[in-house]
Amino acid sequence: MASPARDLREWIALLERERELVRVTAEVDPDLEITEIVDRVVKSAGPALLFENVKGSRLPLLINQFGTERRICLAFGVERLDDVAGRLEEVLELQPPQGLVDKVRKLGTLKSIADAMPKSVSKGACQEVVLEGDDVDLDALPIMRCWPLDAAPFITLPAVITQDRETGVRNVGMYRMQKVDRRTTFMHWQVHKDGRADLLAAPDGRIPVAVALGLDPVTAYAASAPLPKHVGELMLAGFLKGSAVQLVPCKTVDLEVPANAEIVLEGWVDASESGLEGPFGDHTGYYTPPEEFPLFRISAITMRRDAIYPSIVVGKPPAEDEWLAKATERIFLPAIRMSVPEIVDYDLPTAGAFHNCAIVSIRKRYPGHARKVMHAVWGLGLLSLAKSVVVVDEHVDVHDYEQVFFHVCANVDPKRDVVLTDGPLDQLDHSSVLPSFGGKIGFDATAKGPDEGTREWPPEIEMTSEVRARVDARWAELGLPALGRARRP
């Protein structure tokens, strides 16, 4: 596959060459209508859409750029998302070199990390147009109201840039932004998010904020990645792209933003200024109710002369964000194995809205091993918010939900194998008794031994490899048709 695109324009051109994008010239309404169009297209695995005539704005709107497995792989320039994980695994497993060849290989890896660090430049295309003061006008952007009960239009695909005022560590996160007026939005910084931590750490309770819209797809993805606070999202983007993200100084705040962005919003968030944000139709499939969040006061908007506005619709899965989540699932498997080496694989089902369920396969070695892994998962970064964890043996394909469900039904004694506990939950979870805190459940669907209080455990039914190979070789001779995936009743 081709190398990752350097900016949004190159990405759109690639999508067009690959017949993965449709330009829509008819006028469309950003108030609900685009959502209905996009929701149908996404759920039928349709193309990316570039709406060139959006009611109320001169800017075109790009959406569904990440909406299929093929497009997310195109974004990273790989055949499979696991290939991206392989690059990260090479870095995580760096050990002192043993010989000359090993030294050369390790030096190459270290150089690629050094080359991935963001680079400052003096100017960028994102500042071809600069609007300050009274010229700041969010009404010029085709910001969508996605669902009928949404409180207002929301910016849904931003890269929000903040900085820890004391340490200087940069954070890039993806947080929805409800439009309040021409120069103001809310900033949806949930209790577990690093942007909120940066605001709380500010000595005067006030921080500069920059919002980049319309980035190359890898950098846009990196803004959504659940990285530890000390690991830079832009460094990760540079490493995955194979070239550093170039940064240009903002015009009105002391921050740097990606030079290749289509649109940049600059301004301030003050902890003393807040209001009721929401409701918002979220990726949980439900509306999140109104809640208190800080206001973002915009001091400048900069953009390309012919800027393209990016958006995304979240809602009942599957939606476009499914593939951003799947990218994270695959890319971060090596990091999870570094912390819990017995994990073979894991899956975050789309229907589980990313944080409601985690399925984990393990190399089981001792009694209670599955329970140990459950608690380890509940201690891993944003996986700590998982509401349920299902643990299966290493031979079970965690991505085959029928196979997983078979082992849950077959191997779980509810009295012995179900773990009930409580802990932190995603702030968007509406089912918990308390906000951001509630019950958790774990299922040990592994095979059990006598030391776990079972009778003799029977073997699973499986044909011998010899007979399978013999039938494979004779299939054509038997005059039988080629078989696809078995039909399920």
Side-chain angles (χ1 to χ4, degrees):
M1 281 196 176
S3 299
R6 290 173 294 183
D7 60 19
L8 192 67
R9 309 304 174 88
E10 196 172 284
W11 172 230
I12 289 172
L14 173 61
L15 291 176
E16 285 199 288
R17 287 197 304 273
E18 295 290 333
R19 298 183 179 180
E20 288 281 351
L21 180 136
V22 170
R23 292 177 180 265
V24 180
T25 57
E27 184 181 74
V28 291
D29 194 333
D31 188 74
L32 304 183
E33 185 178 43
I34 291 180
T35 297
E36 179 60 20
I37 296 167
V38 171
D39 196 47
R40 296 184 190 191
V41 172
V42 170
K43 286 177 169 53
S44 60
L49 301 173
L50 184 62
F51 293 105
E52 298 182 322
N53 186 4
V54 183
K55 184 179 178 179
S57 176
R58 65 173 184 82
L59 303 186
L61 182 151
L62 176 68
I63 199 163
N64 199 28
Q65 58 179 305
F66 302 111
T68 64
E69 184 174 12
R70 182 169 190 263
R71 285 204 292 282
I72 199 75
C73 288
L74 278 172
F76 287 100
V78 296
E79 296 291 336
R80 304 174 312 126
L81 286 174
D82 285 332
D83 296 338
V84 186
R87 292 196 67 203
L88 191 62
E89 189 167 27
E90 186 179 343
V91 175
L92 292 172
E93 292 183 349
L94 273 177
Q95 300 292 334
Q98 302 300 312
L100 181 59
V101 173
D102 198 25
K103 284 182 181 180
V104 171
R105 186 174 68 82
K106 295 286 170 51
L107 285 173
T109 302
L110 290 171
K111 183 179 185 304
S112 69
I113 295 172
D115 290 344
M117 299 302 292
K119 302 288 193 299
S120 296
V121 296
S122 59
K123 61 180 182 179
C126 68
Q127 295 176 341
E128 291 173 345
V129 176
V130 179
L131 304 171
E132 298 183 44
D134 291 341
D135 292 330
V136 170
D137 187 5
L138 289 176
D139 292 341
L141 306 183
I143 304 172
M144 294 171 57
R145 187 168 73 99
C146 296
W147 299 106
L149 299 185
D150 284 0
F154 281 80
I155 296 171
T156 53
L157 199 63
V160 179
I161 300 167
T162 58
Q163 200 168 35
D164 187 306
R165 295 278 291 276
E166 300 210 343
T167 66
V169 172
R170 179 192 296 114
N171 178 68
V172 185
M174 191 171 285
Y175 318 107
R176 74 185 191 225
M177 299 165 59
Q178 178 183 323
K179 180 184 168 188
V180 177
D181 57 37
R182 294 171 64 241
R183 302 178 201 168
T184 312
T185 74
F186 283 108
M187 193 61 73
H188 192 258
W189 281 337
Q190 298 172 40
V191 65
H192 305 110
K193 303 300 184 181
D194 289 339
R196 181 176 186 268
D198 287 342
L199 178 62
L200 294 178
D204 57 357
R206 187 171 184 261
I207 59 171
V209 178
V211 178
L213 300 167
L215 299 170
D216 67 85
V218 175
T219 306
Y221 161 75
S224 74
L227 293 172
K229 191 168 173 57
H230 63 280
V231 178
E233 290 83 4
L234 298 183
M235 186 278 289
L236 174 68
F239 180 76
L240 296 178
K241 287 199 304 176
S243 62
V245 176
Q246 294 189 335
L247 301 176
V248 64
C250 288
K251 295 294 185 180
T252 61
V253 295
D254 187 19
L255 291 170
E256 292 182 311
V257 291
N260 69 0
E262 295 287 320
I263 303 164
V264 174
L265 313 178
E266 303 177 6
W268 292 83
V269 172
D270 192 316
S272 67
E273 285 196 297
S274 63
L276 280 182
E277 186 258 19
F280 175 74
D282 221 316
H283 70 268
T284 59
Y286 290 84
Y287 289 93
T288 49
E291 206 170 344
E292 197 85 8
F293 283 99
L295 291 165
F296 173 47
R297 302 292 188 182
I298 300 171
S299 55
I301 297 179
T302 72
M303 63 178 76
R304 290 178 180 243
R305 288 190 186 90
D306 52 351
I308 299 169
Y309 176 82
S311 189
I312 191 171
V313 172
V314 298
K316 286 185 180 177
E320 182 182 351
D321 57 343
E322 166 191 7
W323 290 107
L324 291 173
K326 280 295 172 184
T328 292
E329 176 197 289
R330 295 294 89 202
I331 291 169
F332 286 88
L333 176 58
I336 288 171
R337 284 175 174 158
M338 288 289 291
S339 297
V340 192
E342 57 267 56
I343 288 179
V344 175
D345 202 354
Y346 79 123
D347 185 281
L348 305 175
T350 297
F354 320 143
H355 47 71
N356 284 342
C357 181
I359 304 167
V360 183
S361 59
I362 65 167
R363 298 180 188 89
K364 187 175 178 180
R365 296 291 180 265
Y366 49 80
H369 200 165
R371 292 182 179 233
K372 180 261 189 188
V373 171
M374 288 176 204
H375 291 286
V377 169
W378 284 323
L380 284 174
L382 288 182
L383 281 176
S384 65
L385 307 180
K387 189 153 58 172
S388 60
V389 177
V390 178
V391 184
V392 294
D393 288 302
E394 61 186 295
H395 70 276
V396 178
D397 181 357
V398 294
H399 311 296
D400 184 335
Y401 302 146
E402 289 191 12
Q403 193 180 145
V404 170
F405 192 57
F406 165 76
H407 285 87
V408 169
C409 293
N411 289 355
V412 171
D413 178 320
K415 186 173 182 180
R416 179 194 62 214
D417 299 327
V418 175
V419 174
L420 288 173
T421 184
D422 53 27
L425 295 177
D426 192 282
Q427 193 167 345
L428 303 177
D429 192 299
H430 62 277
S431 67
S432 60
V433 176
L434 297 174
S436 307
F437 183 86
K440 293 174 178 285
I441 190 167
F443 297 91
D444 178 359
T446 61
K448 312 300 187 302
D451 45 7
E452 292 178 290
T454 68
R455 296 171 292 149
E456 182 180 354
W457 199 266
E460 284 189 41
I461 299 171
E462 187 175 2
M463 184 51 67
T464 66
S465 57
E466 178 188 1
V467 172
R468 290 175 62 87
R470 187 164 75 242
V471 170
D472 285 345
R474 296 195 61 204
W475 198 259
E477 174 195 342
L478 296 170
L480 296 170
L483 300 180
R485 181 180 172 86
R487 277 180 25 184
R488 302 299 180 192

